[in-house]
Amino acid sequence: MDPVILILGTVTVILIGLLAAGMVKDVLSRERARISGRDSSALPRCPVCRTPLAPGERVSSRVFSRGKQANHLGIVESMAHILGCPHCYPAPREVRRRCPVCGKDLLVTDVLVARMFENTRTGRKHVRILGCSRCRD
């Protein structure tokens, strides 16, 4: 075989491999969306690193109840510390942890402070982020 053709073929294979490695994250995100039947822009995102969460992935948090007394609408309000998703907590893997309020980069020991509202009638939860442990001081 001609050495030039062999070299061009090898370079082509290497370039295709590098291009595929760079697009793995996008392909996985689209595959998660296809499996779940949702558009990737409609996937819920981690409030700490903004990574789309696949079905079954949960955000780790600690809830501090003020009491289980619901208001007249059936809403229970609590305070919570949001730690992160499997992509950014306990060890961040190539993702940037940022506070959505002040925009500062978060350390592994930093948490987001939030108010959590739980509807006792439907069982749904809503979180309002107040800031990180540094900007809330």
Side-chain angles (χ1 to χ4, degrees), residues 72-90:
H72 66 284
L73 296 174
I75 307 290
V76 176
E77 181 182 342
S78 305
M79 293 299 289
H81 285 174
I82 298 174
L83 305 171
C85 69
H87 303 280
C88 65
Y89 180 81

Side-chain angles (χ1 to χ4, degrees), residues 3 15 28 35 57 62 72 74 96 114 119:
L15 287 176
L28 290 177
I35 291 171
E57 288 184 334
R62 305 290 179 257
H72 66 284
R96 189 171 173 187
N119 189 332

Side-chain angles (χ1 to χ4, degrees), residues 1-3 17 23 27 30-31 42 45-46 48 82 100 108-109 126:
M1 228 180 173
D2 191 19
M23 295 190 307
V27 170
R30 277 189 255 124
E31 185 63 20
R45 293 183 176 268
C46 172
V48 181
I82 298 174
V108 178
T109 56
H126 175 76

